[in-house]
Amino acid sequence: MILKNRTRIFTAALLLLGTAACSKGVGHYVPEVIAEYPHDRGAYTQGLFFHDGQLYESTGQNGKSSLRIVDLETGIPVRKVDFEEKYFLEGSVVLDGRLHLLTWLNGEIFTCDPITLERTGSQKYPRQGWGLTTDGKQLIASDGSSKLFFMDPDHNLKRKVTVKLSDKSVRYLNELEFIGGKVWANVYLSDNIMIINPEDGTVEGVIDCKGLLPFKLRDKDTDVLNGIALDPATGDIYLTGKNWPRLYKIRLKRISSR
């Protein structure tokens, strides 16, 4: 994300927080930390997911973009592929035996081998790439707008929905994860995660993650909350952020439903 746009986006995020605070019929939650693990401070987290018991992460920034399989206990990559400087990588997920990997402004979507992480294909992509997840049958992507895009495993668009919280569009949808039949989405430059009905885009819950990473663990390079991963083998949920030194295993605590 270009820095000069952040003030405008941050203002929008603050307005969204205010809307979330008074939304009727929406579940409101906070994360409770069950365990914490090391996370690479140099990882500008864009995609985070589990596949076959392994934690995968795609990281962004030109000249620093990578695809990696990460040891959960140490935060150290056990396999890592760096990408050329021209690429700014974004969301990633495995579907149909292939690892699908978005780029931000490059107009490409890659397929990679989920074991070796090597690229096996590339296609043109008509939108900005932000977040990517799957419900096991189709790919679900965000592009920084208020829309979610549903694609088949060959990246053909099948449908899209507009995400709304109390009839107001929720913009800046970023990293995604499919959990319990819902799409969880980070909202860029906020501490909020939206829980979205994939059928119609309605926000059914808001998770306020403010303070998840303590101030004492932040430094000048610490960036925003971004990274949601469900381990389907255990049902455990993990959260982290861009250049965060910690990865958190969490459970939700419901605080209200207004």
Side-chain angles (χ1 to χ4, degrees), residues 1 6 39 43-49 56-62 64-66 87-93 101-105 129-133 142 174-177 186 188 223-228 240-243:
M1 175 57 60
R6 287 196 169 189
H39 181 253
Y44 192 79
T45 305
Q46 304 287 65
L48 193 73
F49 66 94
Y56 287 73
E57 185 172 22
S58 49
T59 70
Q61 301 285 22
N62 294 103
K64 296 183 178 180
S65 287
S66 68
Y87 290 116
F88 193 120
L89 298 184
E90 288 279 347
S92 54
V93 75
L101 177 62
L102 292 174
T103 60
W104 179 30
L105 298 176
W130 284 50
L132 191 65
T133 190
S142 63
N174 203 1
E175 215 271 318
L176 308 174
E177 184 76 339
N186 284 116
Y188 185 60
D223 213 306
V224 297
L225 176 78
N226 199 58
I228 311 166
T240 191
K242 302 174 185 288
N243 302 131

Side-chain angles (χ1 to χ4, degrees), residues 53-99:
Q54 294 185 300
L55 178 62
Y56 287 73
E57 185 172 22
S58 49
T59 70
Q61 301 285 22
N62 294 103
K64 296 183 178 180
S65 287
S66 68
L67 181 59
R68 50 181 79 180
I69 299 173
V70 180
D71 179 80
L72 176 64
E73 297 294 333
T74 66
I76 298 172
V78 296
R79 183 166 293 123
K80 179 172 175 278
V81 174
D82 295 315
F83 280 64
E84 300 94 313
E85 186 173 358
K86 68 178 181 178
Y87 290 116
F88 193 120
L89 298 184
E90 288 279 347
S92 54
V93 75
V94 170
L95 175 64
D96 198 30
R98 296 174 292 170
L99 192 153

